[in-house]
Amino acid sequence: MKITRIVALLMAILFVIPIASSCGKKDQTTLYVLNWGEYLDPDLIKEFEKQNPDISINYTTTTSNEEMYTICATEGTKIDLLVPSDYLVERLIKEDLLAELDLENIPNFKYVEDVSSTRTFDPESKYSIPYLMGTVGIVYNTTLVDDPVTSWDILWDEKYAGKIMMYDSIRDSIMVALCKLGYDINTTNPEELEEACALLKEQKPLVLAYGTDNIKYDMIGGSVALAVDYSGSATEAIMENPDLAYVVPEEGSNVWVDNLVVLKSSEHKEAAERFINFLCDPEVTAKNSEYVGYTTPNSAAEEYLDPELLAIDSYHITEDILDRCTYFKDLDSDALALWNDVWMEVKTAN
Amino acid sequence: MNKKKTFALPYVVWMVIFTVVPLLLILFYAFVHRTDTGALVFTTEYIESALSGSSMSVLLLSLEYALITTVLCFLLAYPAALFLWQLKSRIGSIVNLLFMLPMWMNFLLRTYAWRALLDTSGPINRILQLLGFPAQQLLYTEGAVIFGLVYNFLPFMLLPIYTSFTKIDKSYIQAAEDLGANKRQTLIHIIFPLTKSGIITGITMVFMPAVTTFVISRLLGGSQTMMFGDLLENQFMLLKDWNTGSALAVVMMVLMLLSMALVRKSDDGVMPGGM
């Protein structure tokens, strides 16, 4: 009997606490933000809350687009604002989950307009505002590689057997093979994918490992000659080890941009737009970009950026790079199954 | 009696919500197909696609790694437990604590630490070079994966075996000696059967999680091969094919149950009364 009483008491306390605390700040809006891990300078949240005392931010992080999608496609989600990658924005638009943004509430949009219009999935910025961007390219150690690195072909050069790292992700690795072959990186043509598969299988004996975040540390360590990596991660690696360099191969590659979007179900759209505007401020985005390492699409941020960061090649996404790179498109489940088959075949090959 | 039941209630509720219901959901997803009209039909098509050649080769590889790990863990843990048991109980428990101590740290942290140790420019290679050997590629090899698995799962084999040792009544050993058994005979016919339950628990606790782990192969093996855990993650997170994913889980569970039944049966065969 005692136990039931204790349980009842505990339940009562559990219910009362949230009511009591919400009573205290009635006019307070809580904005639920879902972002990637280590993808926003936490000081900036405090700064925003100081500037906007009526808004408090509840910040959560996730590790993949897939997880992000699962969270925000669940009915009754509390999330207001999230930072999906390009192809996820496309899917969210398609499934009618995003709110249309009122650009008048986001005056700082003018700084990101140029990049925004290059985005094939939302060129009019109806639903999404670019946040940070990057490319996929080759990081290499200049003390171990004496050939000029300009093409993906070098990742198939037997001279570097056992000193090459590939990216452990379906889309990024197959993208490399498709670029080398001169095909579209969003292809759904089974024959083209078959060719890419054969190429990746041919490359496998030369590959030391398929990595993700660890590529950065292995490159800094200096034992790996060449690796496929994201530009932001490359920037961090180059800052630690000046022997490293980064190149976006001439055949082209993937450029990606993560975007600020508001869910249709959100009840705090205006507050979310204020936060978006804050993040598009040149000084704020410069600070954030320095913290995260990825490139800001903001045209006025350069004067606030650390010159040391600006001196690193991989930080810059020039027009020339944008021209030869492509954004990922959302693949439907049939196409994804094709891609997955290729990856399975590569991964299970001996 | 009634009171005992009340105390067990939280666990029963917990188990129903987090074990029984998910298990039923997995079975549902694996065997029920929702047609375009929304009707639910029983199907074996997901199980068939889960039994396809490439998934099976992934599963076989994972089973192979798990099997090697279990055997190595046993070969290391059994003599260690025997040794611990023969120590004076106070020293024994201190040494036992030393074996367990690493488990107090998160296994991911320990695996990351091994990455640094095995690195081409890491301490192990430095020592090798000091001794005049060339630097070896230790990280991102199959050996590194097996090593990582054995290192992480060894305590799970050691602890149950050691516990079963401590339960042995030493008069059995004395009786065996009195009856003229030599050390080897005592070990094989007395000690080994008496620690059988610990061995079975150890095998279960190492083999099962070793089949589905993928973090170790990612961190130490460089994802050169696809493990069963990767395959499941792909099905659910990337392809969003919950049906085939669940079917894969069912196939694995059935294989596990079969192998456990086999282990128990073969042990029953060894058991009968010693001689």
Side-chain angles (χ1 to χ4, degrees):
Chain A
M1 276 310 104
K2 248 186 190 163
I3 285 182
T4 16
R5 240 180 266 168
I6 293 170
V7 169
L9 189 68
L10 276 176
M11 295 280 266
I13 292 172
L14 278 176
F15 278 114
V16 169
I17 287 175
I19 296 171
S21 63
S22 64
C23 276
K25 20 187 175 171
K26 218 169 199 172
D27 46 354
Q28 188 88 357
T29 309
T30 305
L31 196 63
Y32 286 84
V33 177
L34 177 64
N35 198 355
W36 304 79
E38 282 182 56
Y39 210 40
L40 175 65
D41 184 343
D43 290 346
L44 292 172
I45 296 182
K46 281 183 215 141
E47 204 178 314
F48 177 76
E49 285 176 332
K50 220 191 227 165
Q51 286 176 21
N52 299 271
D54 56 325
I55 302 175
S56 68
I57 288 182
N58 182 318
Y59 187 73
T60 16
T61 60
T62 168
T63 53
S64 73
N65 270 313
E66 283 66 33
E67 219 175 286
M68 211 174 247
Y69 173 77
T70 315
I71 293 173
C72 61
T74 311
E75 221 165 297
T77 179
K78 277 184 131 178
I79 300 295
D80 299 296
L81 192 146
L82 62 151
V83 193
S85 297
D86 26 46
Y87 66 95
L88 184 55
V89 174
E90 195 184 334
R91 189 187 310 160
L92 293 172
I93 292 175
K94 234 186 279 169
E95 296 186 3
D96 197 26
L97 288 167
L98 298 184
E100 272 192 49
L101 297 173
D102 187 351
L103 291 180
E104 277 182 19
N105 290 338
I106 310 172
N108 287 333
F109 172 67
K110 60 176 185 277
Y111 300 119
V112 294
E113 203 170 356
D114 285 347
V115 170
S116 193
S117 63
T118 67
R119 298 174 309 151
T120 39
F121 49 91
D122 186 19
E124 291 158 27
S125 315
K126 251 170 101 175
Y127 303 96
S128 60
I129 305 288
Y131 176 63
L132 288 174
M133 60 196 301
T135 52
V136 178
I138 301 175
V139 205
Y140 60 100
N141 190 322
T142 48
T143 60
L144 297 172
V145 181
D146 33 21
D147 304 285
V149 182
T150 53
S151 154
W152 292 115
D153 290 344
I154 196 156
L155 298 176
W156 272 259
D157 190 334
E158 286 186 18
K159 219 165 99 185
Y160 303 108
K163 291 188 180 305
I164 297 171
M165 283 183 82
M166 287 293 281
Y167 214 85
D168 189 21
S169 115
I170 291 193
R171 290 212 68 170
D172 293 316
S173 274
I174 298 178
M175 179 278 289
V176 169
L178 288 170
C179 278
K180 179 171 149 62
L181 291 162
Y183 297 140
D184 177 14
I185 65 170
N186 292 305
T187 187
T188 53
N189 180 334
E191 278 145 41
E192 290 178 3
L193 285 168
E194 201 49 54
E195 272 181 68
C197 179
L199 209 54
L200 288 172
K201 271 160 80 179
E202 180 194 318
Q203 184 205 27
K204 199 176 175 188
L206 311 180
V207 176
L208 170 66
Y210 297 83
T212 51
D213 300 339
N214 50 332
I215 290 178
K216 184 169 73 193
Y217 303 110
D218 287 320
M219 288 311 296
I220 294 171
S223 53
V224 179
L226 297 144
V228 175
D229 204 357
Y230 294 128
S231 55
S233 159
T235 306
E236 279 179 59
I238 294 168
M239 278 184 149
E240 294 274 326
N241 181 349
D243 290 337
L244 302 178
Y246 175 83
V247 74
V248 177
E250 58 197 5
E251 295 99 328
S253 178
N254 165 234
V255 58
W256 50 263
V257 55
D258 289 328
N259 308 271
L260 299 157
V261 302
V262 181
L263 286 184
K264 209 171 198 175
S265 56
S266 164
E267 285 163 15
H268 312 295
K269 193 176 146 230
E270 193 271 334
E273 283 168 344
R274 248 196 283 167
F275 190 51
I276 293 178
N277 192 52
F278 170 80
L279 291 174
C280 290
D281 178 82
E283 212 176 328
V284 169
T285 191
K287 196 165 173 241
N288 196 27
S289 178
E290 272 169 25
Y291 177 85
V292 175
Y294 282 99
T295 312
T296 169
N298 198 299
S299 57
E302 199 170 311
E303 57 174 302
Y304 302 105
L305 282 165
D306 183 0
E308 205 186 322
L309 184 65
L310 284 172
I312 294 174
D313 267 352
S314 53
Y315 183 78
H316 298 278
I317 300 177
T318 57
E319 226 161 280
D320 174 50
I321 292 176
L322 264 181
D323 276 348
R324 64 188 134 117
C325 289
T326 321
Y327 290 105
F328 273 141
K329 285 191 187 131
D330 189 27
L331 297 174
D332 62 35
S333 55
D334 291 340
L336 257 185
L338 271 179
W339 281 64
N340 187 54
D341 287 345
V342 168
W343 192 235
M344 280 277 282
E345 210 179 313
V346 173
K347 275 298 195 76
T348 51
N350 286 315
Chain B
M1 202 63 207
N2 241 341
K3 228 173 197 170
K4 274 187 194 156
K5 271 187 191 159
T6 325
F7 282 120
L9 200 67
Y11 178 70
V12 171
V13 172
W14 177 272
M15 209 177 67
V16 168
I17 297 179
F18 294 109
T19 310
V20 178
V21 173
L23 214 58
L24 290 176
L25 277 175
I26 288 177
L27 286 175
F28 177 82
Y29 275 111
F31 286 107
V32 177
H33 169 72
R34 190 188 285 274
T35 58
D36 296 333
T37 54
L40 302 172
V41 241
F42 176 84
T43 173
T44 53
E45 77 175 286
Y46 300 123
I47 294 287
E48 277 160 34
S49 81
L51 289 171
S52 74
S54 53
S55 332
M56 280 304 101
S57 71
V58 172
L59 181 58
L60 278 180
L61 189 77
S62 292
L63 288 171
E64 188 189 313
Y65 275 49
L67 192 69
I68 295 173
T69 305
T70 314
V71 170
L72 287 177
C73 277
F74 173 73
L75 290 178
L76 287 168
Y78 200 83
L82 188 66
F83 168 72
L84 281 177
W85 175 57
Q86 282 169 345
L87 288 173
K88 279 198 191 112
S89 70
R90 262 191 62 197
I91 305 171
S93 57
I94 292 171
V95 180
N96 192 31
L97 185 71
L98 288 178
F99 272 99
M100 294 304 140
L101 209 58
M103 275 175 75
W104 296 0
M105 244 179 294
N106 182 290
F107 100 97
L108 213 55
L109 278 179
R110 280 181 279 129
T111 310
Y112 267 106
W114 274 111
R115 282 178 53 86
L117 291 173
L118 295 172
D119 196 82
T120 339
S121 51
I124 293 175
N125 264 313
R126 292 244 180 88
I127 293 169
L128 277 179
Q129 278 164 316
L130 274 180
L131 296 174
F133 295 103
Q136 300 289 317
Q137 181 66 48
L138 301 170
L139 196 58
Y140 303 136
T141 56
E142 265 185 35
V145 179
I146 299 281
F147 178 81
L149 286 167
V150 171
Y151 168 77
N152 273 305
F153 288 116
L154 189 58
F156 295 98
M157 182 67 92
L158 181 69
L159 199 60
I161 294 182
Y162 177 63
T163 312
S164 66
F165 264 110
T166 56
K167 283 187 198 143
I168 295 178
D169 186 343
K170 294 220 172 170
S171 53
Y172 282 128
I173 318 293
Q174 284 157 0
E177 276 163 5
D178 287 348
L179 293 169
N182 62 27
K183 288 214 154 137
R184 204 176 61 94
Q185 284 168 322
T186 318
L187 179 67
I188 294 172
H189 298 297
I190 308 295
I191 299 177
F192 193 75
L194 284 173
T195 50
K196 194 198 68 172
S197 67
I199 297 171
I200 293 180
T201 314
I203 290 175
T204 322
M205 284 175 73
V206 172
F207 187 70
M208 302 264 190
V211 175
T212 43
T213 180
F214 53 87
V215 179
I216 294 169
S217 83
R218 263 189 211 170
L219 290 177
L220 300 179
S223 294
Q224 287 279 10
T225 47
M226 191 176 261
M227 300 307 267
F228 199 70
D230 297 306
L231 188 66
L232 281 177
E233 191 197 9
N234 264 355
Q235 287 298 335
F236 281 99
M237 300 305 280
L238 188 85
L239 299 175
K240 293 185 191 58
D241 185 351
W242 287 33
N243 299 101
T244 314
S246 302
L248 280 167
V250 169
V251 169
M252 196 194 67
M253 280 190 285
V254 170
L255 272 175
M256 289 291 211
L257 286 175
L258 282 178
S259 55
M260 284 328 293
L262 226 76
V263 168
R264 270 161 211 276
K265 199 153 185 212
S266 70
D267 260 28
D268 285 343
V270 182
M271 174 67 176
M275 301 293 216

